[in-house]
Amino acid sequence: MRLLFIMLRKELKGYFFNLFGWVVFAFVTAMQGAALSTAMKGFRDAPSQDSLVYSVFNTTLFWFWFLFIFPLITMRLFAEEERSGTLEGLLTAPVRTWQVVLSKYGAAMTFYTLLWIPGYLQFRMYEWVTDIPPAYAPGAMLGAYSIILLMGAAFTAVGCLASALTSSQIIAGLLTIGMLVIQFFLGYVTNIWGEDFRAAGLFHYISSQEHLHYFTRGLLDTRPVVFYLSSAVFVLFITYQVIDYRRWRR
């Protein structure tokens, strides 16, 4: 475990001692602020029955920048090391393959989690600045950040797999966004084809839009928890197999 934490710390330094990591951090913070400002402007222009949390996260703008987070934070994980030749040295070192995979995934997930702290503080500033009760319930806030972390666990794993499949960061990024966009549009299958086919329940089960819709209303459900965590474990297992194959091939 000590070796795993050493590798995890090394990977985290790659985010915070690199200008690109801070650019991603600034981009996400700016988009969170823009989403909150747009939602508050909508509240000012017209009354709404939805909470502020729901209005911030259930927009097309949110999904546009949210899905692009994952290729940005994962495309360098394995692809850059493969391109520069350092992955070969890492795989021949006295470390386990699962330690390599988990250290990179853990660093990406830690960085992803930290990206949401400014957004949370922006919500709290609503109370501190206006000195009036917040326009959302605590359950909605808990649900929103719970589902964001759950989706992040699975989507970050997808990015790790994409980065492990190629030595090009650009291709890794395109593979990641491609797979996530496909998963996103699968959530609209029932809107297009209706509910009159046997697999309709399956598409509801994997619909990230529906998960976000319910969780931001404070309606917590264990099924998305099982779906995203099991998806993350499965994709990381495939990533492990890909990296392990490279290791023994060498």
Side-chain angles (χ1 to χ4, degrees), residues 150 205 221-231:
L150 287 169
Y205 179 72
D221 190 353
T222 57
R223 289 174 297 178
V225 177
V226 174
F227 170 66
Y228 289 115
L229 293 184
S230 59
S231 297

Side-chain angles (χ1 to χ4, degrees), residues 199-214:
L202 173 64
F203 289 106
H204 284 297
Y205 179 72
I206 66 175
S207 174
S208 297
Q209 302 92 304
E210 289 193 19
H211 300 156
L212 189 64
H213 170 81
Y214 288 115

Side-chain angles (χ1 to χ4, degrees), residues 35-150:
L36 181 60
S37 299
T38 302
M40 294 180 68
K41 183 178 183 300
F43 273 52
R44 185 194 65 186
D45 296 340
S48 175
Q49 295 181 348
D50 298 322
S51 71
L52 183 61
V53 171
Y54 182 90
S55 299
V56 167
F57 292 111
N58 288 273
T59 63
T60 304
L61 174 63
F62 169 78
W63 283 106
F64 177 78
W65 62 264
F66 174 71
L67 294 179
F68 275 95
I69 293 175
F70 302 98
L72 293 177
I73 66 176
T74 61
M75 63 184 183
R76 298 179 67 253
L77 291 178
F78 294 101
E80 174 62 18
E81 296 222 38
E82 175 71 14
R83 185 196 63 79
S84 62
T86 56
L87 183 61
E88 182 175 357
L90 182 62
L91 294 180
T92 55
V95 296
R96 303 289 182 88
T97 305
W98 66 267
Q99 292 175 323
V100 175
V101 174
L102 282 187
S103 64
K104 291 183 177 294
Y105 174 75
M109 266 305 296
T110 301
F111 182 73
Y112 170 80
T113 303
L114 294 175
L115 291 177
W116 296 96
I117 293 178
Y120 174 75
L121 294 177
Q122 289 168 2
F123 275 108
R124 297 305 306 270
M125 285 178 63
Y126 178 89
E127 307 172 50
W128 302 333
V129 174
T130 61
D131 200 28
I132 60 176
Y136 54 84
M141 179 70 77
L142 174 62
Y145 283 99
S146 296
I147 194 62
I148 282 173
L149 291 179
L150 287 169

